[in-house]
Amino acid sequence: MDPYIAIVVEGKNDRSKLRRVLDDRVPILCTYGTPGTSQLEKLRKEAGDRHIFVFTDNDSSGRRIRGILSDLFPDAEHIYTRRGYYGVENTPEEYLIEQLEKAGLDAYILYPASNPAPNWDKF
């Protein structure tokens, strides 16, 4: 695990989606909805001294959670998904990768393999 960064998302489906494009060294922590006091304490403990990136949905609940996490992690950087995508879990991988690149996380991105042209045998 990378000791320097972690990403906080709302739920396990968001985590699963991000895990498809992020190296396993990057911890992805979940709030599991709007976090209460005990969940916030757990997140703070799991985060330790890591630099936090907050990646929540672009809806009222996500904005509320983002505000709570901003209080808990005032130095956190924020990653945003586009309006119209129904949450992080339904955001296309290409767009997730763009946002992770903008956040400077290129070193941890798992880029999809390019599809080479088919190998045609000559007759």
Side-chain angles (χ1 to χ4, degrees), residues 4 14 21 27-28 36 57-58 66 71 76 86 90 100 102 106 110:
Y4 304 109
D14 297 335
V21 297
I28 302 173
D57 297 346
N58 192 6
R66 189 179 293 276
D71 290 341
Y86 187 69
N90 294 307
L100 294 169
K102 285 182 186 177
D106 309 56
L110 301 175

Side-chain angles (χ1 to χ4, degrees), residues 81-121:
T81 190
R82 183 184 301 164
R83 279 183 200 226
Y85 292 145
Y86 187 69
V88 173
E89 69 185 87
N90 294 307
T91 299
E93 288 182 15
E94 299 80 26
Y95 189 78
L96 291 176
I97 288 171
E98 286 178 27
Q99 296 310 301
L100 294 169
E101 287 172 339
K102 285 182 186 177
L105 299 175
D106 309 56
Y108 307 105
I109 295 172
L110 301 175
Y111 291 94
S114 59
N115 292 331
N119 186 8
W120 297 97
D121 290 329

